[in-house]
Amino acid sequence: MDASAWDERYAARDLVWSVEPNRFVAEIIGPLAPGHAIDVAAGEGRNAIWMVEQGWTVVAADYSPVAVERMGSTAADRLGDDSGHLTALVADATQEAPGGRGAYDLALLCYLQLPAEEWRQALRAAVEAVRPGGRVVVIGHAGRNLAEGWGGPSDRAVLYDPEEVLERAEGLPVTVEQSGIRERPVDTDEGERVALDTVVVLRREG
């Protein structure tokens, strides 16, 4: 989907995603000491706003202007005086991150589902955006979800299993802190279903 398609999707509904952070974002980032972060493809900002509530200063970027506008409004409502700790802007995930290289303690790529080469570019940009010792947190719809899980995109070309993330990280200055398939319960009209997500945490080397 291009930016205009996402604009239409966001404009058609009050909220496309939930207001709560992704369960794995909360699990991984919650225990960390707050610092400066960039949320790549932040959508309506559910993870970025939650991170600000935890004490982080966050740049939240998305290539949908409608999503970015909504993110700014939601941040103002939820964060009050702390809304200045979130900068919402329009940006392309495959290009150099806003703020430049080495500007962040953490980069988050949560459900950024792109074809392999574009996703590789986005991962490289995220790694370059964090300073030595910083982390890149990757959460995405797994390839295995097509056959074994529920929901998510149906195009295998934009899905990725953990080993595909690690393959695309080859040559980048990172070490792997965690990598695996995680189950995510999803409430549906037919009862609870289970989606399979890829969760990878990379640490930027010095």
Side-chain angles (χ1 to χ4, degrees), residues 103-182:
Y104 302 99
D105 301 294
L106 184 142
L108 173 64
L109 291 82
C110 188
Y111 301 121
L112 175 62
Q113 312 291 151
L114 294 172
E117 188 52 42
E118 293 175 54
W119 200 89
R120 190 192 306 271
Q121 295 171 12
L123 180 61
R124 176 179 292 277
V127 170
E128 291 176 344
V130 299
R131 56 182 59 97
R135 292 176 173 86
V136 176
V137 177
V138 176
I139 298 162
H141 298 288
R144 282 175 49 187
N145 192 65
L146 271 181
E148 302 173 37
W150 186 92
S154 58
D155 182 0
R156 181 61 178 85
V158 301
L159 306 176
Y160 42 86
D161 287 332
E163 56 269 23
E164 293 171 295
V165 174
L166 301 187
E167 184 273 327
R168 292 165 197 171
E170 286 183 7
L172 298 177
V174 294
T175 56
V176 181
E177 287 199 338
Q178 66 170 277
S179 174
I181 294 281
R182 300 288 300 275

Side-chain angles (χ1 to χ4, degrees), residues 8-80:
E8 292 177 7
R9 185 175 182 186
Y10 284 119
R13 296 176 59 182
D14 288 340
L15 275 178
V16 174
W17 314 115
S18 74
V19 298
E20 299 300 321
N22 173 268
R23 62 190 296 128
F24 305 124
V25 168
E27 175 187 309
I28 294 167
I29 297 178
L32 301 179
H36 289 78
I38 181 164
D39 184 355
V40 180
E44 297 158 310
R46 61 176 182 146
N47 295 314
I49 291 169
W50 174 83
M51 289 177 68
V52 171
E53 292 173 336
Q54 311 311 304
W56 290 79
T57 298
V58 182
V59 171
D62 198 276
Y63 77 163
S64 166
V66 172
V68 170
E69 181 179 359
R70 182 171 294 171
M71 189 188 333
S73 299
T74 304
D77 291 341
R78 276 185 51 184
L79 299 175

